[in-house]
Amino acid sequence: AASATLRRRLAPCGVCAVRSMCSEAGPGRMTRRGGLVAMLAAAAGVVLVLNRRRQRTPPVAPDPAPPEVLGAADVGGQWTLVDSKGGLVTDAHLRGRHVLLYFGFTRCPDICPNELVKMGQVIRRPP
């Protein structure tokens, strides 16, 4: 009984899954309507694929204007910092010695660990 029901649902040829797409001319042959349905389905698939590609490709932004320069960095010269005990440290305290001075963040899980590894490599390097 189940196979008879399945045969009724299948196209006359017994191969095609959709009755309206099958021609009684022979197995695997489609009617004009079936061919039109297949072509429309293929065209819709192509449109979907092209639309997704277009959405994934970011638009090309125009070159941004060069940043406005407000001044020059004040590099070198005298400086004063506060150490971990609250005492003042100046450039005069460290003159004549090799110093690695790093300004980091108190919470920085992305960059700081890598930079600390680099600093450790520099410190362990023989003079």
Side-chain angles (χ1 to χ4, degrees), residues 79-91 93-94 101-103:
W79 50 267
T80 304
L81 296 173
V82 178
D83 68 8
S84 60
K85 296 177 185 169
L88 291 179
V89 179
T90 66
D91 58 307
H93 289 102
L94 304 174
L101 188 61
Y102 177 74
F103 292 92

Side-chain angles (χ1 to χ4, degrees), residues 52-120:
R52 284 189 186 227
R53 266 196 200 153
R54 186 175 52 89
Q55 287 175 352
R56 270 191 251 151
T57 307
V60 178
D63 290 335
E68 182 181 344
V69 178
L70 299 176
D74 188 15
V75 177
Q78 298 178 350
W79 50 267
T80 304
L81 296 173
V82 178
D83 68 8
S84 60
K85 296 177 185 169
L88 291 179
V89 179
T90 66
D91 58 307
H93 289 102
L94 304 174
R95 214 168 266 142
R97 297 168 45 186
H98 292 284
V99 177
L100 176 62
L101 188 61
Y102 177 74
F103 292 92
F105 301 96
T106 56
R107 181 173 168 84
C108 142
D110 297 333
I111 298 170
C112 295
N114 296 336
E115 297 305 312
L116 291 172
V117 168
K118 290 178 194 174
M119 286 190 294

Side-chain angles (χ1 to χ4, degrees), residues 1-14:
S3 64
T5 305
L6 181 62
R7 265 183 273 165
R8 268 186 264 137
R9 286 188 185 165
L10 288 176
C13 68

